[in-house]
Amino acid sequence: MQHFPIFLDLADRPVVIAGNGAFALAKMRLLSKTQARLALYAPVPEADLESAAAELAVPLHRRSVEAADLSGAALAYAAHGEAAADARLAGLARAAGVIVNVVDNLEASDFITPAIVDRDPVTIAIGTEGAAPVLARKIKADLEATLPVTLGPLARAGKLFRPHAEALPQGRARRDFWADYYFNTGPLVLAEAGEELLDHALHALLDQHLNAATEPGRVDLVGAGPGDPELMTLKARRLLDGADVVIHDHLVPAAILELARREAIFVGVGKIGFAPSTPQEDINAAMIEHAQAGHRVVRLKGGDASVFGRLDEETEALSAAGIDWSVTPGITAASAAAASIGASLTRRGRNSDLRLLTAHDVSGFADHDWRALARPGAVAAIYMGKRAARFVQGRLLMHGADGQTPVTLVENVSRPDQRIVTSRLDQLPQDIAEAAFAGPVITLFGLAPARAAAVLPALIEEFA
Ligand code: SAH
């Protein structure tokens, strides 16, 4: 992000526009929506500009801008559409310590003006770092079409009411009040009774919220899916959106955590195989402590919360502490990995059962019904299997599995850095060593990709 978006208070602050024609006119019209003290400098103004300045009551100075005109200005706009005059203004502005925008010249500007969707006081600024004005215009048009025009009146009444809402305790109680106003009561009152009654409705709503007993805290254990935010359930999104506290494992990527409110408290409780990790008791204690403080806690787990996620240990601890909880399922790594290779986890005539297994458990490498797994057509998704490959291979071969059985390894399933490695049972440890995986890997035993290799590497090779 080269340009940082901020909203600047221009009330009563001088803003200088120097230039002529359509450029100066557009900037003057835009800035006259603010409460800035505008001044327009145009030695020989075009007729349109002159009449617009009169209409908007912007003082028009029929001369070139001088150094003194810039002192104390908040912003300066060079809108001559002519390089020498623009450069002169930019020089004067910088000498006076005023940041300057040269219209249609990104390199010469200190700041840029975004595309704006105006539902004052709700203002949306869209920027593309000058990369794609077409894209910015499209996003603006889409937003204009989706945002109700009533947003303005709702937000204006809400803004005036803010001091009253301070009667509610800061945090969830206040947020719930505002959510109720903006998404339920407000739009209803506006549609049925009109803007004048919004203030009355706000007072009534506040009383209602003040009287409501403050809800006790709770914990929702939520499966975040394999990493792609689009593979989350709507319910997971909604719960994350309402969370005061998010307790997440390392498998949950930043792209998903970013969907939570910025003010939420984030607690990372990494559990990385063979590396230092947060003891389960500490995770339980953190959940209980936050819920007892009245917070809405989301315990966010990679994939599905009930697959190798120590879910029961957490729910039992919560029940023992008398805390209300629920579980929201997610897409487990096995499902996402099968999708990534276009293969089916079960198939008529091949396998009528599917095993989700972990290659190691609390006491080391995990034992399984190897004989059943060694049968032709058996399919298993092996979690946490990187280091146990040689052990798994040995057990399966010992029980008569075919060395040619296909094995597909998928690293970072559904993430931008997803990698698919095809192997066979008799080559598994070597192929894993060669792949030097750094991210989480799921092993699909008995499955080969349905599509010949991945499409992307083929494309890249073609253009290399
Ligand atoms: N609850 C999770 C599994 C947790 S155990 C789920 O349902 O997916 C951790 C193991 O899951 C990792 O060692 C890896 O084998 C697998 N895994 C989880 N997310 C993965 C991903 N995005 N890509 C590949 N494997 C993943």
Side-chain angles (χ1 to χ4, degrees):
M1 201 193 296
Q2 189 189 340
H3 291 85
F4 181 64
I6 54 169
F7 288 90
L8 192 63
D9 181 1
L10 285 182
D12 238 5
R13 306 217 31 210
V15 170
V16 170
I17 302 173
N20 210 341
F23 279 172
L25 183 60
K27 290 301 168 220
M28 184 174 66
R29 282 208 188 284
L30 182 64
L31 282 148
S32 62
K33 292 181 171 208
T34 71
Q35 293 151 34
R37 274 195 281 125
L38 297 183
L40 176 63
Y41 294 85
V44 191
E46 286 176 16
D48 283 358
L49 186 65
E50 190 172 355
S51 59
E55 175 199 328
L56 297 167
V58 174
L60 168 60
H61 304 273
R62 291 164 199 277
R63 59 172 173 83
S64 296
V65 73
E66 297 305 332
D69 301 322
L70 286 149
S71 100
L75 301 173
Y77 280 88
H80 304 87
E82 190 214 308
D86 281 345
R88 178 176 169 274
L89 175 82
L92 289 174
R94 291 200 181 104
V98 177
I99 56 171
V100 62
N101 171 268
V102 179
V103 178
D104 253 9
N105 189 340
L106 185 68
E107 282 75 40
S109 296
D110 300 319
F111 69 93
I112 48 183
T113 315
I116 294 170
V117 179
D118 177 11
R119 295 285 189 282
D120 188 41
V122 179
T123 312
I124 302 167
I126 305 152
T128 61
E129 301 280 12
V134 177
L135 186 60
R137 271 199 295 277
K138 167 83 173 89
I139 296 170
K140 176 175 152 74
D142 288 351
L143 286 170
E144 293 281 7
T146 47
L147 289 179
V149 278
T150 53
L151 209 59
L154 270 186
R156 272 197 294 279
K159 187 177 173 192
L160 290 176
F161 196 76
R162 283 186 80 82
H164 298 288
E166 278 165 25
L168 285 164
Q170 206 174 4
R172 200 182 77 223
R174 222 180 274 177
R175 270 202 316 279
D176 285 352
F177 165 76
W178 286 118
D180 194 348
Y181 167 65
Y182 279 110
F183 302 113
N184 301 317
T185 315
L188 256 174
V189 171
L190 200 59
E192 313 237 318
E195 193 174 346
E196 316 74 59
L197 283 190
L198 276 178
D199 186 55
H200 179 76
L202 274 162
H203 280 284
L205 191 66
L206 180 62
D207 283 345
Q208 209 177 309
H209 278 252
L210 282 170
N211 292 335
T214 44
E215 249 181 80
R218 57 172 293 111
V219 177
D220 294 295
L221 300 111
V222 176
D228 179 353
E230 293 209 307
L231 293 182
M232 289 174 81
T233 62
L234 291 174
K235 188 165 182 183
R237 291 287 297 258
R238 180 170 59 71
L239 289 170
L240 192 55
D241 196 48
D244 304 308
V245 179
V246 181
I247 302 180
H248 61 91
D249 3 285
H250 75 279
L251 275 176
V252 181
I256 286 181
L257 295 177
E258 273 168 22
L259 299 171
R261 288 180 311 108
R262 222 175 349 166
E263 309 77 47
I265 301 169
F266 293 87
V267 185
V269 288
K271 274 226 202 88
I272 305 175
F274 306 97
S277 53
T278 317
Q280 188 62 48
E281 307 80 68
D282 293 4
I283 299 177
N284 297 353
M287 288 191 301
I288 292 170
E289 188 189 313
H290 284 291
Q292 281 173 342
H295 289 140
R296 242 179 284 176
V297 180
V298 163
R299 171 72 177 102
L300 199 57
K301 290 167 174 284
D304 183 273
S306 73
V307 177
F308 305 122
R310 301 177 75 170
L311 178 72
D312 297 332
E313 294 169 52
E314 302 190 358
T315 56
E316 281 158 18
L318 291 169
S319 292
I323 288 161
D324 197 14
W325 53 266
S326 79
V327 180
T328 300
I331 294 180
T332 190
S335 301
S340 77
I341 61 168
S344 176
L345 288 168
T346 61
R347 181 178 177 145
R348 216 145 40 113
R350 182 192 67 197
N351 66 315
S352 58
D353 67 3
L354 160 74
R355 277 152 220 264
L356 304 185
L357 52 98
T358 173
H360 55 82
D361 59 19
V362 273
S363 49
F365 292 145
D367 235 330
H368 292 283
D369 183 355
W370 301 111
R371 190 180 307 281
L373 274 170
R375 279 191 209 118
V379 173
I382 306 173
Y383 290 70
M384 297 176 275
K386 262 189 284 187
R387 302 204 183 202
R390 192 169 291 283
F391 167 77
V392 170
Q393 180 200 44
R395 284 289 191 279
L396 284 168
L397 290 176
M398 199 168 83
H399 286 83
D402 184 351
Q404 310 269 330
T405 307
V407 179
T408 305
L409 301 136
V410 191
E411 182 190 27
N412 293 316
V413 178
S414 85
R415 303 178 189 195
D417 47 0
Q418 170 177 294
R419 192 152 58 115
I420 296 170
V421 174
T422 52
S423 179
R424 287 185 347 203
L425 182 58
D426 55 4
Q427 289 168 357
L428 190 57
Q430 299 90 298
D431 286 346
I432 289 185
E434 204 173 298
F437 294 116
V441 175
I442 183 114
T443 307
L444 297 175
F445 173 75
L447 291 184
R451 282 188 281 239
V455 180
L456 205 57
L459 270 180
I460 293 169
E461 260 165 44
E462 206 168 295
F463 286 98

